[in-house]
Amino acid sequence: MIKKILMFVFLLLPALAQAGFMLEPYLGHIATGDASANETTSNTIKFSNSYSGTTVGGRVGFSYKYLLFGGGYSMARFDMRYDATSDNGNSESYHDQYLAQYKSIFTGLILSSAFRLIGSYYQEVTLEDRDPVLMQNGSEVLGGPEGATQTGDKFYGRGYGALISYTGFKSLGFNLEYRKLIMRKFKDKRNENFGDITTTTFLGDGAVFTKYSTTELVITLSFPFEILTWKEGPRP
């Protein structure tokens, strides 16, 4: 195994000799976030959740000629609105706060001196309830719909993203990214239940999710720059 790794590094050296190490911190706003879920109990409950909030993060990697590749990490805080409707016609609306963490790997193309296209695979996404109370119509409430999480509850998932970036200004980028995330696991803080969403009892009330997915549209302002550039590859 070690020999294979050394051989791979040896073959990669000519490319790294012309590569640049890139660092790109960014901050921005989740302009729109939409989550949809189905939950099975005595009554089937459908959720239509929406959210928006702030985000901060960064990408680290290499640039080689027209290519970009590396990894990224970001955090976001947002207020989520629950709209829950059961098949018996009952409906409820609540607000809750979340902390999200995203870990990704990416690859990209330098399309021109002003535009980049980056695709990301989010191999680890965590959504954690960080609000001690639920809000309904501006008032604190206990409990909530069966699908409303409580403080410390976490969702775990994966997903992908597509980002277009304008870098026409020196060391400044305007970025628009679309993300699609699928939540696969859930941890109930109160009961320490952890497992697949499709099989894990949710909140100890006998409810089980059959699906939980989210989409996000993220607008960020980034500060890309290269350090340790050995030899600049040609640019368009």
Side-chain angles (χ1 to χ4, degrees):
M1 183 64 180
I2 296 178
K3 290 183 178 180
K4 291 182 179 180
I5 295 175
L6 292 175
M7 180 63 69
F8 176 76
V9 173
F10 178 77
L11 294 175
L12 196 62
L13 284 176
L16 292 178
Q18 302 182 62
F21 181 76
M22 61 166 288
L23 182 63
E24 185 175 8
Y26 62 82
L27 53 87
H29 180 64
I30 299 178
T32 61
D34 294 289
S36 61
N38 293 330
E39 180 192 359
T40 58
T41 56
S42 56
N43 292 306
T44 299
I45 300 176
K46 293 184 178 181
F47 295 92
S48 178
N49 305 343
S50 58
Y51 57 94
S52 63
T54 57
T55 183
V56 61
R59 284 177 285 271
V60 178
F62 290 92
S63 63
Y64 173 68
K65 295 185 177 180
Y66 309 125
L67 301 177
L68 302 169
F69 51 94
Y73 172 81
S74 65
M75 299 176 63
R77 287 185 177 273
F78 52 78
D79 180 62
M80 180 178 285
R81 173 188 171 94
Y82 292 89
D83 291 310
T85 304
S86 61
D87 60 4
N88 61 14
N90 294 331
S91 61
E92 297 176 296
S93 295
Y94 292 82
H95 287 266
D96 213 353
Q97 292 182 353
Y98 281 83
L99 172 67
Q101 299 184 67
Y102 310 80
K103 297 178 181 179
S104 65
I105 55 177
F106 69 86
T107 184
L109 292 173
I110 301 174
L111 302 177
S112 69
S113 59
F115 288 96
R116 300 176 301 163
L117 182 64
I118 296 175
S120 298
Y121 171 64
Y122 290 92
Q123 74 269 33
E124 184 178 331
V125 179
T126 305
L127 303 181
E128 180 181 0
D129 189 322
R130 297 297 294 269
D131 191 356
V133 297
L134 282 170
M135 302 295 294
Q136 183 180 34
N137 299 324
S139 301
E140 295 182 8
V141 294
L142 297 175
E146 292 173 326
T149 57
Q150 304 296 319
T151 304
D153 291 348
K154 293 182 180 180
F155 289 99
Y156 300 86
R158 299 176 180 177
Y160 58 87
L163 179 147
I164 184 72
S165 175
Y166 176 76
T167 56
F169 300 102
K170 185 177 181 180
S171 299
L172 185 64
F174 294 92
N175 314 291
L176 180 65
E177 181 178 20
Y178 171 83
R179 296 173 180 166
K180 176 68 174 182
L181 310 172
I182 304 294
M183 300 296 109
R184 301 180 182 275
K185 294 183 180 295
F186 173 77
K187 183 175 182 179
D188 187 333
K189 179 65 175 179
R190 293 172 297 170
N191 299 306
E192 295 299 328
N193 293 332
F194 179 80
D196 293 340
I197 283 179
T198 56
T199 59
T200 302
T201 299
F202 185 70
L203 298 180
D205 59 10
V208 175
F209 269 129
T210 57
K211 179 184 178 182
Y212 190 8
S213 61
T214 71
T215 58
E216 298 178 352
L217 186 63
V218 186
I219 301 172
T220 57
L221 180 66
S222 65
F223 309 92
F225 56 92
E226 290 187 354
I227 58 177
L228 301 178
T229 302
W230 293 283
K231 180 180 179 181
E232 280 289 332
R235 291 291 192 266

